[in-house]
C-alpha cells in the first residue's frame, strides 16, 4: 500500500483502493466495525491516509484529499436477501447494469446572499438538505437570504439500475433490480450491459407524499451508495476495447505461439468448441470463424467507409440437434454476450423501446438485447417466432 501511495503521488489520482481481505488479516475487529458503521469508519480511514501521505510527500499537490475505497467484503449478498438489517451497512452485490441515467448535477455547497445588505454566506449540504440561514448576521434581517445558483458548487451524480445476474436467479422468476447512486468520478465508470460487482452502503430514504409538503410516507425507498465498481468476467474471454490490453504470462504466450505453428490448429479449435456436443464439425467451424472474425477493412480515405468483418450465422435443423446448446455455449463464452428467445421478445424489443421512468417521470429509451450486446455476440433462439 505504500507503493500505492507512491503511485498516487506520481499520477495525482487521489483514490486509494483497499482490499477488505487484507484488512481482515490485519484486524478482525476493525473489519467488523467497517462493515457495521461504514459512514463513520471510512472518513477516519481517509484522515489517516492523508496524514501518512502528506508526511511522506509534504509538497504534493492533489486536487482534493485522498479518498479510501474498500471492496471485496465477505458478506456478498444476492439481491433477494437484502433486508432491513443491512441498512447503513457495507454490502457487496453483483449483477448486470441495465440502465444508466444522464449525469445529474447535485448541489454540494449552497451560496446565499442577503437581499438587504449583500452579505454572503455559503452552507454545506448535509444528507441532501440545505440548512438555509434565517438571520443575516450583518444587518439582523430575518429571512432575507436568496440562493445564488451560479456561485453554488455542484458534484456529478448518476442513477444506475442493476439487475441480478441470471446465475443467481431461481429458475422461472422475474429478476430483481436495485438502484445505485454513483458520485463524482464513479460516474460513467460502467456502461449498460456490463457485469459488475458493486461495493457500497445500503441506504433508505423516506418518500414525500407531496413534493411541497413536509410529511413523508412510512414506506422507505432503498438504494445503494456506490463506493467501488469491479467488472467481473473471470471465465469469459477478454474484451477487445481500445486502451485495454490482456496481459498474459510468458508461459502462456509461448504455449499460444506453439499452438499457432501446428498444421491442424483449425480442426483442434473446432473440436475444442462445445466439447460436450458430438460431431457437427461444419457448424463448429462456422461458429469458430464467427468468434474470431475477419480483419476490419477501412476504406474511409477513399470515401467508401468501413466494411463489416463479422458474419451472422443462422442454424436450422430438426428438433433435438443441439442448436440451443450451441447458442448457450457461445453466450457463456463471449464477453457482453446476450441471450434472448424469439418467443418472449418482439422485433422492437430487440433494439430499443420507450418506457416511462418511475423516478424522473420522463420517457426514456430502454435498451434491448441487440444494443446491450454491442461488440459481443447476440444469440437469439427461436428466431422464426
Amino acid at each position: 500500500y505504500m507503493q500505492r501511495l507512491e503511485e498516487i503521488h506520481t499520477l495525482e489520482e487521489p483514490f486509494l483502493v483497499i482490499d477488505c481481505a487484507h484488512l481482515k488479516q490485519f484486524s478482525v475487529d476493525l473489519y467488523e466495525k467497517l462493515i457495521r458503521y461504514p459512514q463513520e469508519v471510512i472518513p477516519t480511514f481517509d484522515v489517516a491516509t492523508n496524514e501518512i501521505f502528506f508526511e511522506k510527500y509534504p509538497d504534493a499537490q492533489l486536487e482534493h484529499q485522498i479518498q479510501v475505497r474498500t471492496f471485496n467484503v465477505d458478506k456478498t449478498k444476492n439481491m433477494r436477501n437484502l433486508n432491513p438489517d443491512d441498512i447503513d451497512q457495507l454490502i457487496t452485490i453483483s449483477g448486470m447494469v441495465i440502465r444508466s441515467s444522464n449525469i445529474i448535477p447535485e448541489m454540494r455547497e449552497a451560496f446565499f446572499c442577503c437581499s438587504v445588505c449583500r452579505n454572503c454566506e455559503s452552507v454545506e449540504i448535509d444528507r441532501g438538505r440545505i440548512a438555509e440561514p434565517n438571520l443575516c448576521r450583518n444587518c439582523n434581517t430575518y429571512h432575507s437570504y436568496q440562493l445564488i445558483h451560479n456561485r453554488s458548487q455542484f458534484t456529478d451524480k448518476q442513477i444506475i439500475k442493476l439487475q441480478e445476474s441470471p446465475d443467481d436467479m431461481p429458475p422461472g422468476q422475474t429478476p430483481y433490480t436495485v438502484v445505485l447512486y454513483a458520485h463524482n468520478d464513479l460516474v460513467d465508470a460502467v456502461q449498460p450491459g456490463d457485469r459488475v460487482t458493486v461495493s457500497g452502503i445500503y441506504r433508505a430514504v423516506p418518500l414525500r407524499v407531496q413534493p411541497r409538503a413536509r410529511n413523508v410516507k412510512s414506506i422507505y425507498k432503498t438504494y445503494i451508495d456506490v463506493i467501488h465498481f469491479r467488472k467481473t468476467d473471470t471465465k469469459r474471454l477478454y474484451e477487445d476495447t481500445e486502451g485495454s490490453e490482456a496481459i498474459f504470462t510468458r508461459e502462456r504466450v509461448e504455449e499460444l505461439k506453439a499452438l499457432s505453428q501446428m498444421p491442424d490448429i483449425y480442426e483442434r479449435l473446432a473440436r475444442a468448441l462445445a466439447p460436450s456436443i458430438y460431431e457437427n464439425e461444419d457448424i463448429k467451424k462456422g461458429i469458430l470463424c464467427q468468434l474470431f472474425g475477419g480483419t476490419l477493412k477501412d476504406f474511409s480515405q477513399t470515401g467508401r467507409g468501413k466494411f463489416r468483418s463479422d458474419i451472422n450465422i443462422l442454424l436450422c435443423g430438426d428438433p433435438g440437434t443441439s442448436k440451443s446448446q450451441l447458442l448457450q455455449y457461445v453466450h457463456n463464452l463471449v464477453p457482453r454476450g446476450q441471450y434472448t428467445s424469439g418467443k418472449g421478445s418482439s422485433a422492437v424489443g430487440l433494439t430499443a423501446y420507450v418506457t416511462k421512468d418511475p423516478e424522473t417521470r420522463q420517457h426514456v429509451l430502454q435498451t434491448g438485447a441487440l444494443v446491450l450486446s454491442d461488440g459481443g455476440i447476440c444469440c437469439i433462439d427461436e428466431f422464426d417466432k
Side-chain angles (χ1 to χ4, degrees), residues 7 19-20 42 68 105 107 149 192 197 215 223 227 245 257 265 289 297 306 333 370 376:
E7 286 172 19
D19 192 342
C20 287
I42 292 180
V68 173
M107 199 176 281
H149 273 272
T197 303
N215 44 355
Y223 63 92
I227 295 177
E245 294 179 357
K257 280 183 182 165
I265 179 73
C289 292
K297 299 176 181 62
K306 290 185 179 178
L333 181 72
L370 272 178

Side-chain angles (χ1 to χ4, degrees), residues 1 4 8 15-19 67-71 228:
Y1 285 110
R4 291 264 175 88
I8 291 175
F15 299 104
L16 179 72
V17 180
I18 289 185
D19 192 342
Q67 292 178 4
V68 173
R69 302 225 162 116
T70 52
F71 72 100
H228 185 263

